Amino acid sequence: MTHLKHFFAAMSDSGRPFSISKRKKKLALVAFASLLLVAAVIGVVAGVNSRKEISGSEALKASTSHAIIKSSCSSTFYPDLCFSAIASLPEVSKKVRSKKDVIVASLNLTTTAVEHNYFTVKKLLKRKGLSEREKTALHDCLDMIDETLDELHKAEDDLNEYPNKKSLSQHADDLKTLMSAAITNQESCLDGFSHDEDKKIREVLLAGEKHVEKMCSNALAMIKNMTDTDIANEAKLTGRMLKEETLASGDGWPAWLSAGDRRLLQSSSVKADAVVAADGSGNYKTVAAAVAAAPEKSSKRFVIRIKAGVYRENVEVPKKKTNIMFVGDGRKNTIITGSRNVKDGSTTFHSATVAAVGQGFLARDITFENTAGPEKHQAVALRVGADLSAFYQCDMIAYQDTLYVHSNRQFYINCFIAGTVDFIFGNAAAVLQDCDIHARKPGSGQKNMVTAQGRTDRNQNTGIVIQKCRIDATSDLKPVKSSFPTYLGRPWKEYSRTVVMQSAIGDVINPAGWHEWNGNFALNTLEYREYSNSGAGAGTAQRVKWKGYKVITSESEALQYTPSRFIAGASWLSSTTFPFSLEL
């Protein structure tokens, strides 16, 4: 429009009288200028309308995105947090076009929040006057923040491939496992500050850790909603329910494996990549040194042979050390032992004699022990956070908190676990099959609790399943069992889930079966189940009457707790080379 204004100004400012010919020319120029003006006005109006159309289109896209976000967030426990966080993202209309996009956006926001917590912990570590336990607990938090970031990145990678790379059920189980573990990490970080002298540090961390936990909970809920819907739709399309993969024959081995190969795998003559011997006859004198020498992020199994002997050390298999296998010379001969405990200043998490975190960890024919004793309170023999981990013919021996099934999918076959208070605890998806589980004589005034399961979110695919096991008392408890009541478990967290099925339960178990944690806490929300058990302690007539407790009478209901369904066992147990049974 500016150049037209100059044009009309030049015409009116000439100051000379018009001649007819000039007038005609002038009229012609005026007519031409008018045409230009009309064209310009039309162009401006068109431009304005175009911008309105673009703006309207963007508004429609934004409105559509917000509707998708709102719909996705409606399935979560914290919908307002879910919607406000994702809807405020820049260019949300371009980023969110589907439920999957909403979940990816949620994971990205959660990652940012976790990184913020990392810097909070690092800052706290610089404080003067921290106790050794506070320092240890903060370092535990850093480890769990690192693991959480890995889990969030893996979940995003899996979502980017969803639903094409794997079966829908495997995608669903993997994603739920990752998010369940991420939630557990936030809880475990805060649990490290459970003593009165640690409360101030806990308060500084509380808001940030709980925020991340809520964000993870929202992502988990949306994942469950999306995958449940897709699996149901696929079932409708095919006209049948999806069947679980079945890889095993009746004796628990993959059907395609020959009898000769089965005998070979069952033998202890597994080829070793490293040999540990305390007398110097191997490659390494300590188990920790052999682990340190193992390759990182390997897809190939790295076998560490641990010769007969007592190894007094604390060993960690970190997350970067994947697919490591410990092979001992028999559980009575190869013993890894330690005595870290909470009373002497450790955290429960850090007290473990052996901690296995790297994915695909396996162990056979070994004893894991913590000798701290009942008076030292929490003292873990074995902590496991390794996904797809398995243990065969191993002993876990301690008192309080013997076996810490911390997170991810785990399987135990033909093992012996002994302890006192909460001696199998944590928030993994763990199945213990054909194991001997024995309560020991505890400290004065203590009660024995076989389990203390830690599920905090009802969407978590976690729990402790005890199948085809034998629950009894050790020789030191049997003569005095009336003085030390023993129970199948108590609810450590709000949605605690424990299932005891097809097991022989000795008379060491109190007729009530289960015990409160603190008053009425979690009694309505827990999920405690018993199915087809036998023995003097298996009677259910006098069991607790809690809303969350149930005796299963249906085989189809019990099937959901089998290795096939509960830990997606058909997809990975055969690779362990250990025996297993997938079903009831």
Side-chain angles (χ1 to χ4, degrees):
M1 287 291 286
T2 304
H3 66 287
L4 289 174
K5 287 180 181 178
H6 288 315
F7 177 75
F8 282 111
M11 287 178 60
S12 59
D13 291 345
S14 64
R16 292 191 295 272
F18 294 123
S19 65
I20 293 180
S21 61
K22 285 183 178 179
R23 188 176 180 82
K24 286 181 179 178
K25 289 179 181 178
K26 189 68 75 172
L27 287 170
L29 286 169
V30 169
F32 177 67
S34 298
L35 287 171
L36 287 175
L37 178 60
V38 171
V41 170
I42 290 170
V44 169
V45 172
V48 169
N49 287 338
S50 176
R51 282 195 294 276
K52 282 182 179 177
E53 286 175 10
I54 293 170
S55 177
S57 175
E58 289 301 323
L60 181 61
K61 287 179 182 176
S63 176
T64 302
S65 296
H66 283 185
I68 294 169
I69 295 166
K70 193 166 187 178
S71 174
S72 297
C73 290
S74 67
S75 65
T76 69
F77 292 136
Y78 312 100
D80 292 341
L81 169 64
C82 177
F83 180 81
S84 62
I86 299 169
S88 63
L89 285 171
E91 298 186 311
V92 68
S93 60
K94 293 181 181 178
K95 293 178 179 176
V96 174
R97 305 287 177 82
S98 67
K99 286 183 177 181
K100 189 167 86 169
D101 292 340
V102 178
I103 301 169
V104 171
S106 177
L107 292 177
N108 287 332
L109 287 165
T110 307
T111 298
T112 301
V114 174
E115 289 167 347
H116 175 78
N117 288 350
Y118 171 83
F119 290 112
T120 300
V121 174
K122 292 291 282 187
K123 187 176 179 181
L124 282 170
L125 276 167
K126 294 178 181 177
R127 277 195 182 185
K128 293 182 179 178
L130 293 174
S131 68
E132 285 304 310
R133 179 161 49 227
E134 286 172 333
K135 291 177 186 176
T136 299
L138 287 169
H139 282 290
D140 290 347
C141 288
L142 287 179
D143 286 345
M144 283 178 272
I145 285 171
D146 192 29
E147 288 168 26
T148 300
L149 289 172
D150 263 11
E151 286 148 2
L152 293 172
H153 291 144
K154 285 178 182 176
E156 186 172 351
D157 289 344
D158 201 275
L159 277 170
N160 288 334
E161 295 169 339
Y162 182 87
N164 300 316
K165 187 175 181 182
K166 299 175 278 193
S167 68
L168 284 176
S169 59
Q170 191 174 346
H171 266 301
D173 200 69
D174 289 349
L175 284 165
K176 286 186 285 188
T177 296
L178 288 165
M179 297 315 302
S180 295
I183 292 171
T184 301
N185 286 335
Q186 315 317 306
E187 282 288 316
S188 297
C189 169
L190 292 173
D191 285 341
F193 304 93
S194 55
H195 298 81
D196 289 339
E197 61 270 26
D198 307 329
K199 293 290 174 65
K200 288 183 179 179
I201 299 294
R202 190 181 193 276
E203 287 172 6
V204 176
L205 293 172
L206 186 62
E209 293 294 327
K210 285 296 182 183
H211 176 69
V212 168
E213 188 171 340
K214 289 176 181 178
M215 294 288 285
C216 289
S217 171
N218 284 344
L220 174 60
M222 289 188 285
I223 284 167
K224 186 177 186 301
N225 180 265
M226 180 183 73
T227 56
D228 283 356
T229 301
D230 290 348
I231 289 170
N233 288 339
E234 183 167 292
K236 286 179 184 176
L237 284 173
T238 58
R240 59 179 174 78
M241 292 301 293
L242 293 173
K243 291 184 177 180
E244 298 292 325
E245 289 181 90
T246 303
L247 297 178
S249 61
D251 59 1
W253 290 95
W256 42 261
L257 202 65
S258 71
D261 286 341
R262 291 177 208 183
R263 284 194 296 273
L264 177 64
L265 290 173
Q266 281 180 305
S267 75
S268 58
S269 58
V270 181
K271 183 182 177 182
D273 297 290
V275 177
V276 179
D279 61 7
S281 61
N283 306 101
Y284 305 95
K285 288 187 176 182
T286 66
V287 180
V291 171
E296 295 184 1
K297 298 180 179 178
S298 175
S299 59
K300 182 179 179 296
R301 185 76 64 203
F302 187 87
V303 178
I304 299 175
R305 162 77 68 185
I306 307 172
K307 287 190 172 184
V310 177
Y311 297 86
R312 303 183 188 282
E313 55 177 312
N314 290 88
V315 181
E316 181 180 2
V317 182
K319 67 182 180 68
K320 62 186 178 182
K321 302 282 185 172
T322 56
N323 293 308
I324 286 179
M325 181 179 188
F326 286 1
V327 179
D329 277 342
R331 53 176 130 187
K332 302 304 179 189
N333 301 318
T334 301
I335 301 168
I336 307 175
T337 184
S339 59
R340 280 184 190 161
N341 61 85
V342 165
K343 192 167 184 181
D344 289 344
S346 178
T347 60
T348 302
F349 189 83
H350 190 64
S351 70
T353 299
V354 174
V357 182
Q359 181 172 313
F361 179 82
L362 304 177
R364 61 178 294 169
D365 301 308
I366 295 174
T367 289
F368 303 94
E369 184 181 57
N370 191 310
T371 59
E375 70 280 359
K376 297 291 188 177
H377 304 303
Q378 297 94 333
V380 176
L382 175 67
R383 167 169 55 85
V384 185
D387 194 23
L388 311 180
S389 55
F391 298 79
Y392 175 42
Q393 294 182 165
C394 290
D395 288 1
M396 299 86 179
I397 301 172
Y399 289 88
Q400 183 169 347
D401 291 3
T402 301
L403 175 59
Y404 193 171
V405 289
H406 181 259
S407 55
N408 290 300
R409 292 164 290 196
Q410 308 176 16
F411 181 70
Y412 300 79
I413 179 76
N414 195 14
C415 291
F416 174 78
I417 304 105
T420 56
V421 181
D422 307 333
F423 66 93
I424 303 172
F425 76 110
N427 196 27
V431 176
L432 289 77
Q433 195 175 85
D434 192 25
C435 292
D436 289 281
I437 300 170
H438 286 195
R440 304 178 74 177
K441 181 181 177 182
S444 177
Q446 289 186 324
K447 298 180 180 71
N448 286 330
M449 304 291 165
V450 175
T451 66
Q453 206 282 326
R455 191 168 65 136
T456 60
D457 187 307
R458 67 169 175 260
N459 286 325
Q460 286 179 301
N461 62 345
T462 55
I464 296 169
V465 175
I466 297 172
Q467 183 192 21
K468 301 176 183 176
C469 293
R470 295 157 295 279
I471 300 172
D472 211 331
T474 55
S475 58
D476 64 336
L477 176 61
K478 282 183 178 180
V480 293
K481 61 188 175 187
S482 60
S483 301
F484 300 97
T486 298
Y487 299 85
L488 293 171
R490 59 176 179 164
W492 182 27
K493 304 288 183 178
E494 189 173 2
Y495 293 94
S496 181
R497 174 158 61 186
T498 302
V499 180
V500 182
M501 60 186 196
Q502 300 171 291
S503 294
I505 303 176
D507 64 0
V508 67
I509 296 299
N510 186 283
W514 308 82
H515 199 276
E516 302 87 356
W517 181 272
N518 185 14
N520 292 325
F521 171 74
L523 302 188
N524 293 333
T525 51
L526 59 77
E527 186 178 314
Y528 286 171
R529 303 286 184 266
E530 293 184 58
Y531 171 72
S532 192
N533 296 309
S534 61
T540 57
Q542 298 181 58
R543 289 293 197 251
V544 294
K545 306 302 180 186
W546 307 335
K547 183 179 178 181
Y549 170 76
K550 180 182 178 182
V551 177
I552 298 174
T553 56
S554 162
E555 182 178 301
S556 60
E557 185 178 349
L559 279 169
Q560 67 182 297
Y561 302 110
T562 59
S564 175
R565 314 262 180 110
F566 198 68
I567 55 173
S571 66
W572 66 278
L573 282 177
S574 59
S575 69
T576 67
T577 74
F578 300 161
F580 60 90
S581 174
L582 286 175
E583 305 297 344
L584 293 172

